[in-house]
């Protein structure tokens, strides 16, 4: 149950990062954006410190057999390797789009006569709206 919900947080974070870049990044630069990236780290550390696993879960985790071992033996080995390759290609494509799209928008905006701040805001808007 938790893993499905956790994966949807990516999109919320993406929009939040675009909004922060539109406001903080455009006005104060990449160093301020880098500092904003520390907030999730602090929240994660707080959660690790304050949220404890239930005893029932700890007992079950200690006695459970690793499903990771099961997928690397027959009859799942071939399927595991094929899917790992497909996911790798997908991740490379995703990261290429995430990294190069904002740079392309900034370059095009600057060549169209926009200032650096306006170009950064256009890249934030374009990146946030295209997801």
């Amino acid at each position: 149950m938790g893993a499905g919900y956790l994966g949807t947080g990516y999109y919320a974070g993406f929009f939040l990062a675009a909004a922060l870049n539109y406001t903080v990044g455009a006005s104060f630069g990449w160093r301020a954006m880098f500092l904003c990236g520390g907030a999730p780290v602090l929240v994660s550390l707080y959660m690790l410190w304050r949220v404890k696993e239930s005893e029932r879960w700890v007992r079950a985790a200690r006695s459970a057999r690793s499903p990771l071992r099961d997928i690397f033996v027959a009859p799942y080995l071939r399927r595991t390797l094929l899917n790992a390759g497909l996911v790798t290609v997908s991740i490379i494509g995703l990261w290429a789009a995430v990294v190069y799209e904002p740079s392309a928008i900034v370059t095009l905006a600057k060549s169209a006569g926009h200032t650096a701040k306006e170009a950064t805001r256009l890249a934030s808007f374009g990146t946030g709206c295209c997801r």
Side-chain angles (χ1 to χ4, degrees):
M1 180 173 150
Y5 293 115
L6 189 59
T8 59
Y10 168 83
Y11 300 103
F14 203 91
F15 287 118
L16 181 61
L20 279 171
N21 192 48
Y22 185 84
T23 55
V24 175
S27 299
F28 301 106
W30 71 268
R31 288 176 180 89
M33 284 297 294
F34 185 80
L35 289 175
C36 289
V41 173
L42 295 175
V43 170
S44 298
L45 290 174
Y46 176 77
M47 289 175 64
L48 281 171
W49 177 59
R50 296 290 291 176
V51 177
K52 303 297 180 199
E53 300 293 350
S54 70
E55 277 299 316
R56 182 175 148 193
W57 186 90
V58 171
R59 282 193 308 271
R62 285 184 187 145
S63 64
R65 185 172 164 216
S66 172
L68 192 58
R69 287 184 187 161
D70 294 341
I71 66 171
F72 284 103
V73 295
Y76 301 113
L77 178 62
R78 183 172 180 263
R79 192 177 302 169
T80 298
L81 295 176
L82 176 66
N83 285 324
L86 292 172
V87 167
T88 300
V89 170
S90 298
I91 289 173
I92 290 169
L94 172 69
W95 278 101
V98 168
V99 170
Y100 295 118
E101 179 190 28
S103 298
I105 293 173
V106 167
T107 302
L108 291 171
K110 283 182 179 178
S111 67
H114 292 281
T115 66
K117 187 174 183 176
E118 291 170 339
T120 301
R121 286 196 168 153
L122 283 171
S124 299
F125 184 75
T127 302
C129 290
C130 294
R131 298 290 173 249

